[in-house]
Amino acid sequence: MSFPGGLPSLCSLISACSRLGLSENILCNLACLGVTLRSLYCLYILGDKEGDFLSYLLSLLMIRIWNSHVSPRIYKYQAHGYAFSGVEELLYSLGEATFVNMTQRSVAESLLQVGVTQRFIDDVVSAVLRASYGQSASMPAFAGAMSLAGAQGNLWSVEGGNKLVCSGLLKLAKASVIHATVTSVTLHATEGKALYQVAYESDKGNSSEFYDIVVIATPLHLDNSSNNITFEGFTPPIDDIQDSFQPTVVSLVHGYLNSSYFGFPDPKLFPFANILTTDFPSFFCTLDNICPVNISASFRRKQPQEAAVWRVQSPKPLFRTELKTLFRSYYSVQTAEWQAHPLYGSRRSLPKFALHDQLFYLNALEWAASSVEMMAVAAKNVALLAYNRWYQDLDKIDQKDLIHKVKTEL
């Protein structure tokens, strides 16, 4: 295992652990909780003195315990065919009022209540949230918990790029894909059943099709209405699902990092592949030395003094002066800008998955937390919800006290 700073830094960390009374047995127990030597080292270099290191370590353990309550119970429910018509109903089934309240209280308030120090929130938690969502510790606690869970390792990626998940699912489903932009969904009724007319635009012109079941699987932006879908013929009207999203800019820069800006005049001594920020400098959130999506056996990460591909995440497109601040020189810059995540705290209530009888909004769950895993949970929930409604299996929808029901079924 490579270690930032090399063997001397590892030795100094172990010496510090020994002076603080952290024996090998304690370190092994920490490892069982997911606290690795690498994360211990990061805490060690963040603290100005060993007392800070111990305080940070205790705060990290409190976060691990806090996060453990955001359990994977939903997978058991879905395995038994249960579904939920709204985000609040889903969260209540997982943790009752506690989880629902986590969407209304801030990360900082929740962590302080369980014993995490304010300094740890300022120095570590804020940096993680800024990297994940581009937002601060004032964002809701449930989304913050998802972000902090993702910062503690055990993450997976797909060789060749995570986009292969989508293309692979389409292939397995043998879906017929219409390459077009949906513009509207209009409600019709035939023999007492809802029928939905989906209008769309493509290179071949405008067209529409009728469907029994429709799933909206894209964010509906309040501040980007030109690309939004309109809903017609619904009573009451569907108008409470559009809201504000957090813009994010990702710049892929092929060049030489300006290590002097980060306090390392000699680039050969620069020990980090990832840089997170809290609130300063404000022009970028994270900086990562990235690897190809296909890694061969002979691949090696570029040394700090070599030209490498760096990913810069920022709230706005970077000016040339800002690029020159981060890089001594660069060969190329590729930029992508999009509405990445909901602007948490801007919405008073959690949206519904079911907008109408057989019209569903998959991205509703983003307003609790936004990640690939959360979208997979939402997709499975919507599929089960549509199935249960179609076959009138209403006992599988919005059931209370599922913990005991699932145990009984087992």
Side-chain angles (χ1 to χ4, degrees), residues 16-60:
C17 289
S18 177
R19 288 193 296 273
L20 291 168
L22 300 177
S23 65
E24 290 184 12
N25 287 336
I26 293 177
L27 292 177
C28 289
N29 289 330
L30 291 175
C32 292
L33 289 170
V35 181
T36 62
L37 280 176
R38 183 180 294 275
S39 58
L40 284 177
Y41 176 75
C42 291
L43 298 180
Y44 177 62
I45 62 174
L46 273 172
D48 296 331
K49 51 186 179 297
E50 289 175 2
D52 292 333
F53 168 56
L54 186 56
S55 173
Y56 280 176
L57 176 56
L58 291 173
S59 292
L60 178 61

Side-chain angles (χ1 to χ4, degrees), residues 315-352:
K316 297 178 180 179
L318 296 174
F319 292 112
R320 181 179 173 83
T321 53
E322 293 169 338
L323 284 169
K324 294 296 288 183
T325 298
L326 297 176
F327 299 92
R328 288 183 287 124
S329 62
Y330 54 88
Y331 297 108
S332 63
V333 180
Q334 296 184 36
T335 302
E337 181 176 359
W338 80 102
Q339 305 290 319
H341 308 288
L343 187 59
Y344 291 107
S346 65
R347 188 182 181 93
R348 293 184 179 180
S349 61
L350 295 169
K352 295 286 188 179

Side-chain angles (χ1 to χ4, degrees), residues 80-159:
H80 286 76
Y82 290 103
F84 305 92
S85 60
V87 176
E88 185 169 333
E89 288 82 355
L90 186 151
L91 294 181
Y92 192 88
S93 75
L94 299 179
E96 298 186 339
T98 300
F99 276 21
V100 177
N101 291 338
M102 285 176 70
T103 66
Q104 300 163 1
R105 300 177 60 196
S106 72
V107 177
E109 181 184 357
S110 298
L111 290 179
L112 286 170
Q113 189 174 31
V114 298
V116 177
T117 65
Q118 183 65 55
R119 182 172 178 185
F120 189 85
I121 293 172
D122 294 339
D123 291 351
V124 180
V125 174
S126 294
V128 172
L129 298 179
R130 189 167 154 86
S132 301
Y133 290 127
Q135 298 173 48
S136 70
S138 62
M139 68 182 292
F142 191 87
M146 295 296 104
S147 175
L148 293 170
Q152 296 176 44
N154 299 323
L155 298 182
W156 295 83
S157 60
V158 177
E159 186 175 1

Side-chain angles (χ1 to χ4, degrees), residues 113-275:
Q113 189 174 31
V114 298
V116 177
T117 65
Q118 183 65 55
R119 182 172 178 185
F120 189 85
I121 293 172
D122 294 339
D123 291 351
V124 180
V125 174
S126 294
V128 172
L129 298 179
R130 189 167 154 86
S132 301
Y133 290 127
Q135 298 173 48
S136 70
S138 62
M139 68 182 292
F142 191 87
M146 295 296 104
S147 175
L148 293 170
Q152 296 176 44
N154 299 323
L155 298 182
W156 295 83
S157 60
V158 177
E159 186 175 1
N162 290 343
K163 65 179 183 180
L164 296 180
V165 172
C166 300
S167 58
L169 287 172
L170 284 173
K171 185 177 180 180
L172 285 172
K174 299 180 181 179
S176 176
V177 181
I178 300 173
H179 296 279
T181 301
V182 174
T183 56
S184 68
V185 178
T186 303
L187 174 64
H188 297 268
T190 58
E191 301 178 357
K193 277 198 170 184
L195 194 64
Y196 306 98
Q197 183 181 13
V198 178
Y200 53 87
E201 299 174 347
S202 68
D203 295 338
K204 299 177 182 179
N206 299 340
S207 187
S208 67
E209 299 283 349
F210 286 89
Y211 298 94
D212 295 306
I213 301 173
V214 173
V215 177
I216 308 296
T218 184
L220 298 173
H221 300 153
L222 181 66
D223 45 4
N224 193 18
S225 56
S226 61
N227 293 330
N228 270 343
I229 301 169
T230 60
F231 299 92
E232 302 171 6
F234 293 89
T235 304
I238 298 173
D239 57 4
D240 189 37
I241 56 175
Q242 299 174 353
D243 228 311
S244 300
F245 277 66
Q246 174 76 33
T248 294
V249 180
V250 170
S251 303
L252 298 182
V253 183
H254 181 205
Y256 296 89
L257 185 72
N258 180 16
S259 58
S260 296
Y261 179 71
F262 301 101
F264 291 84
D266 186 350
K268 293 181 180 179
L269 300 179
F270 188 77
F272 307 112
N274 311 91
I275 301 169

